[in-house]
């Protein structure tokens, strides 16, 4: 790894927007879920575990999508210099992609770990129960797959801005992950039905719930009255994997097309 | 060596070219002199493959610039936008580019100390937090410290005071490689006598000539016999001559003046001939 890897990791992790939107803001909602929304949850292990798993699925996707928005911004910032450094330094295009991907995925995993640790501590304090995931390796695998997906989405969006020569859309497009993350966060109140399989953000939230609680996730509306439709976990994981592979292929295609774009057509945010 | 063959560049979907029929070989230290907005920066962007070429080709050491990837040490530039890979403090930026280019951090610090940019600034500020002069100094120092075979310096003297300009000239004169430097200021000619010079007006490159030939050269807004160089500015022939012209090159602070007078048409010629 070159010095780009460590500096990129440090830069993204210390960006104020990441610290605020992905950590502080979501931690506020962790406290709300624990001390305000959770007042009527009985101190019964099964009920608490189900509640904590739902909170983990919803709040972690919110935090990770805010991180993805920061990563998209960081990539847009670098876009003018990427063309030069990949031509005349030892950071070749493939090496750049690998180092950028590894540093971004590491950031997403660190943010997940912060969310994980804080939720265990806060909910333990609130309910007096240590709620640990039912399937830790499964939860880690789902987190890793989600991190790869969110990186692929962030780079796809930033490359799209460059290739479409649409710098004015940068602020809007970089926020797409956060907007979709908020939609997935609404799933305890809204039954998304088939969309729960199509939206990768809902898939992430459902997989987190599944591996944390050990139960089958539902398509949505868990806090609402009425029958619930159980989700097929394999199908959910397959949908997220398909999205990830598709976006990675699109990234490669866009990266090739980016070569024809002059740096004067790219904006630094 | 950088070879430019029949180059034409235009931005976006615009039909009007910014660079037209540029042919040149840069095989030694060279100046590209021209007024602001003449296309010098675009030429530099094209030389390192950062801008889309409509026609022609550029070869760097025989390699097509469009197909160059991961060629460390081949070329370096002082454009702030290409040195903005990460929004880090200057101190980290220097070490990042030293690592990526195999450059010499200590050399960059030495140049910056000579140009009056102290350690405290380097440790506390990012590129976009620098003044215009500091930004030029930092980017030029990073470009020179890479010790690349070709270094393109875009207006490196802009915003520097005379003492710092002369210190920077020493580094340029001692540099072991091909420097191509663009500027609209003419005073440089006195200090870089053994370099070669090109002129650029309205996207067209003229030359080269030896810089020492320019010491006594004068501009004339007429078509003179036996000129050093003949150029077209706004459809008007402008000659650079050894004798007979009215406007000594070294008397001009900036080449913008030549352009302004050429735009005046016949009146420009009258203004010029009315001068003592």
């Amino acid at each position: 790894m070159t010095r780009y890897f460590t500096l990129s990791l440090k830069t993204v992790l210390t960006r104020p927007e990441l610290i605020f939107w992905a950590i502080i803001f979501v931690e506020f909602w962790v406290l709300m879920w624990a001390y305000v929304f959770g007042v009527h949850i009985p101190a019964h292990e099964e009920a608490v575990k189900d509640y904590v798993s739902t909170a983990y699925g919803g709040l972690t996707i919110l935090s990770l999508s805010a991180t993805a928005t920061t990563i998209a911004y960081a990539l847009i910032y670098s876009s003018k210099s990427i063309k030069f450094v990949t031509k005349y330094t030892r950071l070749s295009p493939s090496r750049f992609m690998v180092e950028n991907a590894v540093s971004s995925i590491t950031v997403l995993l660190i943010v997940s770990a912060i969310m994980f640790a804080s939720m265990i501590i806060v909910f333990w304090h609130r309910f007096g129960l240590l709620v640990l995931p039912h399937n830790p390796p499964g939860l880690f695998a789902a987190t890793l797959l989600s991190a790869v997906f969110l990186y692929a989405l962030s780079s796809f969006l930033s490359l799209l801005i460059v290739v479409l020569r649409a710098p004015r859309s940068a602020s809007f497009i970089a926020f797409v992950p956060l907007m979709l993350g908020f939609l997935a966060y609404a799933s305890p109140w809204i039954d998304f039905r088939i969309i729960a399989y199509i939206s990768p953000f809902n898939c992430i939230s459902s997989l987190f719930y599944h591996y944390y609680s050990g139960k089958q996730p539902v398509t949505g509306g868990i806090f609402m009255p009425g029958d619930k439709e159980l989700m097929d976990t394999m199908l959910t994981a397959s949908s997220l994997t398909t999205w990830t592979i598709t976006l990675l292929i699109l990234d490669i295609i866009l990266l090739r097309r980016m070569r024809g774009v002059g740096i004067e057509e790219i904006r630094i945010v | 060596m950088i070879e430019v063959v029949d180059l034409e560049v235009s931005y976006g979907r615009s039909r009007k070219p910014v660079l037209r029929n540029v042919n040149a070989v840069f095989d030694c230290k060279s100046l590209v002199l021209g007024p602001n907005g003449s296309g010098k920066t675009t030429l530099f962007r094209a030389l390192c493959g950062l801008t889309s070429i409509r026609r022609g080709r550029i070869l760097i050491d025989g390699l097509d610039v469009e197909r160059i990837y991961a060629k460390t040490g081949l070329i370096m530039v002082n454009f702030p936008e290409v040195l903005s890979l990460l929004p880090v403090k200057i101190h980290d930026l220097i070490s990042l580019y030293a690592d990526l280019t195999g450059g010499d951090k200590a050399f960059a610090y030495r140049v910056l100390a000579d140009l009056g940019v102290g350690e405290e600034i380097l440790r506390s500020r990012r590129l976009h937090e620098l003044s215009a002069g500091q930004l030029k100094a930092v980017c030029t120092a990073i470009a020179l410290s890479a010790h690349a075979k070709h270094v393109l310096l875009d207006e490196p003297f802009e915003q520097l005071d005379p003492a710092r300009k002369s210190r920077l000239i020493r580094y340029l004169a001692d540099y072991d490689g091909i420097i191509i430097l663009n500027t609209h200021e003419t005073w440089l000619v006195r200090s870089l006598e053994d370099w070669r010079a090109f002129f650029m007006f309205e996207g067209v490159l003229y030359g080269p000539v030896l810089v020492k030939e320019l010491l006594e050269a004068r501009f004339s807004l007429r078509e003179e016999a036996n000129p050093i160089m003949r150029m077209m500015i706004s459809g008007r022939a402008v000659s650079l001559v050894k004798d007979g012209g009215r406007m000594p090159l070294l008397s001009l602070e900036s080449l913008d003046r030549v352009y302004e007078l050429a735009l005046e048409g016949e009146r420009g010629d009258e203004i010029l001939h009315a001068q003592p």
Side-chain angles (χ1 to χ4, degrees), chain B residues 250-269:
Chain B
L250 293 179
S251 73
L252 300 168
E253 270 188 31
S254 156
L255 284 168
D256 294 351
R257 183 71 181 140
V258 181
Y259 190 60
E260 284 161 15
L261 287 170
L263 284 178
E264 292 277 350
E266 292 300 320
R267 214 176 138 256
D269 207 23

Side-chain angles (χ1 to χ4, degrees), chain A residues 2-4 7-8 10-11 77-78 80-81 83-90 92-93 259-264, chain B residues 11 45 48-52 65 68-72 75 81-82 84-88 92 95-96 99-100:
Chain A
T2 65
R3 192 142 170 71
Y4 172 75
L7 282 173
S8 167
K10 182 180 144 191
T11 309
Y77 178 90
S78 312
K80 276 196 188 236
S81 38
K83 194 161 183 171
F84 183 84
V85 295
T86 53
K87 285 175 87 68
Y88 303 110
T89 74
R90 62 196 186 100
S92 63
R259 290 176 191 177
V261 182
I263 60 161
E264 66 283 341
Chain B
Y11 286 148
R45 282 180 177 161
C48 42
L50 298 178
T51 204
S52 313
V65 75
I68 293 174
Y69 281 97
K71 288 280 178 198
T72 312
I75 204 163
E81 63 265 34
V82 304
S84 304
L85 186 59
L86 291 168
V88 290
D92 285 329
S95 71
L96 171 66
D99 181 46
L100 296 181

